[in-house]
């Protein structure tokens, strides 16, 4: 009872108390704060750079950015990029620097973190549905999922994620409801509702992906049966199987990174947490950053089209740098002998060594 009163006071539920970012939630000691700062900043920086690279490779290619599949991957990259930046800034500010905000600003920050991670899971669900439609309805896939429908679906998903995430900012706070043991100003009933919403998204991914894996297994069997002769659509079947495996890896990483956090959230709804458990939760929260960091690596390694876009862009930039190097070398005064030797070394370089990327 006394601990609950302290939690309510910390969340500003008692009259006459100013808003405080809750010392009850700031449980890390000095060495742990340093570890959190280093880990969070490093993971967030890597994740942000990787997701920016994925976005660049997709958006710089006219062919990729018009495909519904890569619109969903772009949405995932945007969500993971925003999650990395917003989560890292707010997490470090709260746990390391003990930053103080007004109630509205604090709820805006925590809502912004929530929307990015919610949209990330939602993008994975849409990607799984896209793979399901591609595998189960290959002949009508383009008619079923047009670019306009993909954009409309993404818009609905982001709006729904925003609506769910900003409910506390719109007034659903923990006064007079019981406050969460893990999040200041967040009521337990809202946390339960958000967990149910995330569970629904996970169930949708599992249900949809079960069909994708089953269809991929059928494709593998068909490939083995017809491996000695050419079959129409074999290249597309190999692509579908490869993307299905990609989804499997992404889904496995998703659960590994999210299960500890979600399990502690569920546990916090039924028990009073010690400071040690809160410290464990703070470090487990960094696994969400790991998930955002791993997603672009998986897609870059397993998507042949993104790899091809990367190769074209790298070849374009290498060619551009070589041109700049040639222009710079002409500006340096040299003897006629040196110029002749340099020209002999540079002239034979064939343009065919790299592919020019007009889209990059």
């Amino acid at each position: 009872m006394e601990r609950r009163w302290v939690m309510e006071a910390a969340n500003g539920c008692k009259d006459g108390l100013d808003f405080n970012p809750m010392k009850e939630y700031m449980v890390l000691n000095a060495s742990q704060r340093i570890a959190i700062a280093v880990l969070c900043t490093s993971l967030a920086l890597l994740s942000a750079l990787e997701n920016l690279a994925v976005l660049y490779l997709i958006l710089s290619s006219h062919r990729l950015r018009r495909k519904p599949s890569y619109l969903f991957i772009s949405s995932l990259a945007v969500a993971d990029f925003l999650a990395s930046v917003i989560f890292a800034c707010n997490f470090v500010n709260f746990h390391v620097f003990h930053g103080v905000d007004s109630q509205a600003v604090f709820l805006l920050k925590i809502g912004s973190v929530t929307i990015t991670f919610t949209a990330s899971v939602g993008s994975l669900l849409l990607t799984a549905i896209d793979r399901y439609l591609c595998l189960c309805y290959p002949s009508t896939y383009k008619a079923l999922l047009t670019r306009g429908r993909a954009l409309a679906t993404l818009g609905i998903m982001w709006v729904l994620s925003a609506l769910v995430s900003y409910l506390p900012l719109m007034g659903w706070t923990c006064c007079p409801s019981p406050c969460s043991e893990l999040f200041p100003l967040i009521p337990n009933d809202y946390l339960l509702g958000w967990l149910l919403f995330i569970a629904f998204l996970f169930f949708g991914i599992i249900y949809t992906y079960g069909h994708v894996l089953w269809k991929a297994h059928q494709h593998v069997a068909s490939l083995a049966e017809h491996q000695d002769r050419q079959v129409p659509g074999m290249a597309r079947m190999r692509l579908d199987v490869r993307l299905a495996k990609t989804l499997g890896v992404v889904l496995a990483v998703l659960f590994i990174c999210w299960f500890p956090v979600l399990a502690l959230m569920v546990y916090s709804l039924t028990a009073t947490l010690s400071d040690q458990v809160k410290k464990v939760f703070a470090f487990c929260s960094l696994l969400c950053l790991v998930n955002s960091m791993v997603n672009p690596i998986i897609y870059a390694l397993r998507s042949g089209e993104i790899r091809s876009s990367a190769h074209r862009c790298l070849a374009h930039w290498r060619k551009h740098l070589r041109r700049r190097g040639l222009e710079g070398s002409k500006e340096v005064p040299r003897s006629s002998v040196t110029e002749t030797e340099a020209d002999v070394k540079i002239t034979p370089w064939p343009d065919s060594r790299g592919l020019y990327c007009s889209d990059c």
Side-chain angles (χ1 to χ4, degrees):
M1 178 64 68
E2 180 180 357
R3 183 178 181 83
R4 177 65 63 184
W5 184 91
V6 171
M7 297 292 288
E8 291 178 352
N11 282 281
C13 292
K14 295 297 180 180
D15 295 336
L17 291 175
D18 295 329
F19 176 76
N20 185 332
M22 315 349 152
K23 291 185 177 180
E24 284 290 318
Y25 297 88
M26 301 173 181
V27 295
L28 302 179
N29 58 38
S31 60
Q32 291 167 344
R33 290 200 300 271
I34 294 175
I36 283 288
V38 173
L39 290 174
C40 191
T41 303
S42 302
L43 292 174
L45 182 60
L46 287 174
S47 176
L49 292 175
E50 290 169 2
N51 283 287
L52 279 178
V54 171
L55 281 173
Y56 174 78
L57 293 175
I58 294 176
L59 297 179
S60 62
S61 172
H62 178 74
R63 181 169 55 90
L64 291 184
R65 66 172 177 262
R66 297 193 63 83
K67 288 187 175 183
S69 298
Y70 291 99
L71 289 178
F72 297 140
I73 296 176
S74 298
S75 174
L76 176 63
V78 169
D80 285 337
F81 170 77
L82 293 176
S84 303
V85 175
I86 297 174
F87 174 83
C89 293
N90 294 327
F91 197 75
V92 171
N93 180 63
F94 183 85
H95 284 288
V96 177
F97 299 107
H98 294 175
V100 177
D101 298 301
S102 66
Q103 177 173 324
V105 171
F106 181 84
L107 292 175
L108 176 64
K109 287 182 176 181
I110 199 169
S112 299
V113 172
T114 304
I115 185 180
T116 55
F117 286 120
T118 304
S120 178
V121 179
S123 298
L124 284 174
L125 173 59
L126 294 180
T127 306
I129 294 175
D130 170 69
R131 289 299 88 208
Y132 170 77
L133 294 175
C134 183
L135 285 168
C136 295
Y137 306 99
S139 59
T140 59
Y141 168 73
K142 290 185 178 181
L144 286 173
L145 190 61
T146 62
R147 187 171 185 270
R149 290 177 179 175
L151 289 173
T153 305
L154 285 172
I156 293 173
M157 185 273 294
W158 276 91
V159 170
L160 185 59
S161 298
L163 179 62
V164 172
S165 302
Y166 287 117
L167 283 175
L169 181 62
M170 292 184 281
W172 193 354
T173 59
C174 65
C175 303
S177 303
C179 300
S180 169
E181 292 278 330
L182 295 173
F183 304 102
L185 290 175
I186 301 301
N188 278 333
D189 49 359
Y190 169 79
L191 182 59
L192 175 61
W194 183 81
L195 287 171
L196 291 176
F197 180 72
I198 289 294
F200 172 78
L201 295 181
F202 281 147
F203 176 78
I205 294 174
I206 295 172
Y207 180 80
T208 304
Y209 192 62
H211 287 276
V212 173
L213 286 180
W214 176 68
K215 202 68 176 180
H217 177 72
Q218 287 186 326
H219 281 328
V220 171
S222 178
L223 286 172
E225 181 181 354
H226 302 95
Q227 61 183 351
D228 294 331
R229 64 177 187 272
Q230 294 294 327
V231 178
M234 291 290 284
R236 183 52 185 262
M237 291 169 67
R238 290 190 182 95
L239 176 62
D240 290 338
V241 171
R242 186 164 59 250
L243 290 178
K245 291 179 180 179
T246 297
L247 281 175
V249 175
V250 170
L251 190 59
V253 171
L254 181 70
F255 277 98
I256 292 173
C257 293
W258 276 87
F259 178 77
V261 174
L262 296 179
L264 287 173
M265 287 183 185
V266 173
Y267 177 68
S268 71
L269 296 175
T270 59
T272 300
L273 304 183
S274 64
D275 288 347
Q276 291 301 118
V277 176
K278 292 180 181 179
K279 291 177 182 180
V280 172
F281 178 78
F283 280 93
C284 287
S285 298
L286 298 182
L287 290 174
C288 298
L289 277 181
V290 174
N291 179 62
S292 296
M293 182 184 69
V294 170
N295 280 340
I297 296 177
I298 296 173
Y299 282 115
L301 290 177
R302 301 190 67 87
S303 174
E305 291 181 296
I306 292 182
R307 289 201 305 269
S308 298
S309 179
H311 292 157
R312 289 194 299 270
C313 290
L314 288 175
H316 168 69
W317 284 108
R318 282 200 300 265
K319 189 174 182 179
H320 177 72
L321 291 175
R322 290 191 187 102
R323 287 176 177 174
R324 292 292 298 273
L326 283 173
E327 293 174 358
S329 63
K330 293 178 182 178
E331 298 174 0
V332 179
R334 296 173 298 180
S335 65
S336 58
V337 176
T338 305
E339 290 175 359
T340 303
E341 292 175 352
D343 292 339
V344 171
K345 293 179 181 179
I346 294 173
T347 302
W349 183 265
D351 293 336
S352 59
R353 288 193 180 187
L355 297 175
Y356 178 77
C357 179
S358 58
D359 295 327
C360 297

